[in-house]
Amino acid sequence: GETYEAIFTDSAGKQTLLEHTIPIIAPTPLVKAIYPSANKLPANHLKFYLHFTEPMQQGKIYGYFKLIDLTSGLPVKEPFRETELWSADGKRLTLWLHPGRQKTGVNLNVDLGPILMPHRRYALEISAQWKSQAGMALKQNARKQFATTAVDRTKPDIRQWKITPPRAHSHSVLQLAFLEPLDSALLQNLITIEDANGRDISGSVQISKNETQLSFTPTSQWTSGDFRVRVDWELEDLAGNNLLRLFEMDVAHADTPIFAGPRYLRFHLK
């Protein structure tokens, strides 16, 4: 992408100037996925995960995003928390809606109002002018449309999850079904399959059905015996409510948490 000059001066002092621009030889980046993948989100939704096929340029990126209220046709003012949270490979950005506007009674919420209103339609837009670290612009604009539901102020409850055990002496899949979509990134890291002694079972995880289902395929065959699904308490729903506490709560009247460790779902294979 850089331009270079070569100057030749002959014996008579005449100069000849040549310029050459090195072409950029790099893949065109694409928006690979936007999570949550569902098209209905709670009005107190907190963050999006943007996945790209190439590492993207970082720093001063918030001019490439817009949140449009499709009901009014107007952009939402100051919707984002402008702190860049990148994965180590530069291919995933966590794009936060500003928590100070999503929490009732906080200064920004009082001054500017909430970012999202229930039962309206919105679109998150990503400009095609944004470039990869190699200098290639996105192939096209990206857009995620969604509708809002009522605010969600309930904690996820693993006692209401449906577990479908695998077959012993096979590589069959263990499935977990949730009552609501959960945070896609945390689902990959905060759910572990263990044997009765607490040893991790090696395997691969797939998230599906708009982040309401997790499938675990073991590396080795299942054996007979007792197993458990370990769920760390930090696992969140789309509104930031985790297993221990609500994202938005009155601290003065909140109960003191009794247990801040992991939760378990147990199953037995014959």
Side-chain angles (χ1 to χ4, degrees), residues 2-79:
E2 298 289 341
T3 300
Y4 297 84
E5 292 182 350
I7 301 175
F8 171 70
T9 305
D10 64 18
S11 57
K14 181 181 177 182
Q15 289 188 335
T16 303
L17 172 66
L18 295 175
E19 288 188 352
H20 179 66
T21 300
I22 306 296
I24 299 174
I25 304 176
T28 299
L30 297 169
V31 178
K32 184 178 179 180
I34 300 176
Y35 292 99
S37 58
N39 58 13
K40 289 186 178 180
L41 307 178
N44 55 343
H45 173 63
L46 273 183
K47 57 183 178 282
F48 296 96
Y49 294 106
L50 311 182
H51 292 252
F52 301 90
T53 57
E54 300 296 323
M56 299 299 292
Q57 287 184 358
Q58 303 178 20
K60 298 181 180 179
I61 64 173
Y62 287 91
Y64 298 119
F65 308 123
K66 287 183 181 179
L67 183 64
I68 308 296
D69 182 343
L70 297 178
T71 306
S72 68
L74 299 174
V76 179
K77 295 182 179 179
E78 302 180 34

Side-chain angles (χ1 to χ4, degrees), residues 22-224:
I22 306 296
I24 299 174
I25 304 176
T28 299
L30 297 169
V31 178
K32 184 178 179 180
I34 300 176
Y35 292 99
S37 58
N39 58 13
K40 289 186 178 180
L41 307 178
N44 55 343
H45 173 63
L46 273 183
K47 57 183 178 282
F48 296 96
Y49 294 106
L50 311 182
H51 292 252
F52 301 90
T53 57
E54 300 296 323
M56 299 299 292
Q57 287 184 358
Q58 303 178 20
K60 298 181 180 179
I61 64 173
Y62 287 91
Y64 298 119
F65 308 123
K66 287 183 181 179
L67 183 64
I68 308 296
D69 182 343
L70 297 178
T71 306
S72 68
L74 299 174
V76 179
K77 295 182 179 179
E78 302 180 34
F80 305 114
R81 177 190 179 191
E82 296 189 4
T83 301
E84 296 188 30
L85 301 172
W86 287 96
S87 60
D89 62 5
K91 293 183 179 182
R92 187 191 75 192
L93 173 70
T94 304
L95 180 63
W96 276 78
L97 298 182
H98 203 298
R101 291 188 61 186
Q102 294 295 72
K103 276 192 174 183
T104 305
V106 177
N107 287 353
L108 287 176
N109 175 271
V110 174
D111 295 341
L112 300 176
I115 297 169
L116 304 174
M117 298 295 292
H119 312 300
R120 294 175 77 92
R121 294 169 50 251
Y122 294 88
L124 173 65
E125 296 183 348
I126 304 169
S127 171
Q129 295 180 0
W130 193 6
K131 295 181 179 179
S132 68
Q133 292 180 12
M136 298 293 288
L138 285 170
K139 186 174 183 179
Q140 58 191 17
N141 292 338
R143 180 181 174 97
K144 176 180 175 61
Q145 292 188 205
F146 60 94
T148 51
T149 61
V151 297
D152 178 4
R153 295 198 176 98
T154 58
K155 293 180 290 186
D157 184 355
I158 71 167
R159 295 172 299 180
Q160 299 182 45
W161 293 3
K162 179 183 178 182
I163 181 169
T164 304
R167 300 186 308 275
H169 311 296
S170 75
H171 286 90
S172 60
V173 172
L174 166 72
Q175 283 192 345
L176 298 173
F178 321 122
L179 293 184
E180 61 176 334
L182 299 176
D183 184 294
S184 63
L186 298 181
L187 277 173
Q188 295 282 350
N189 299 312
L190 299 184
I191 294 182
T192 310
I193 313 302
E194 300 177 344
D195 65 16
N197 296 315
R199 293 186 293 260
D200 290 359
I201 304 296
S202 176
S204 60
V205 169
Q206 283 192 324
I207 311 299
S208 60
K209 295 187 177 180
N210 298 135
E211 297 77 69
T212 63
Q213 181 172 288
L214 180 145
S215 301
F216 175 83
T217 304
T219 303
S220 303
Q221 286 190 358
W222 296 102
T223 60
S224 300

Side-chain angles (χ1 to χ4, degrees), residues 240-258:
N241 306 308
N242 62 41
L243 304 187
L244 183 65
R245 64 175 69 92
L246 298 175
F247 179 74
E248 179 178 332
M249 64 180 182
D250 185 345
V251 178
H253 299 91
D255 295 330
T256 301
I258 298 174

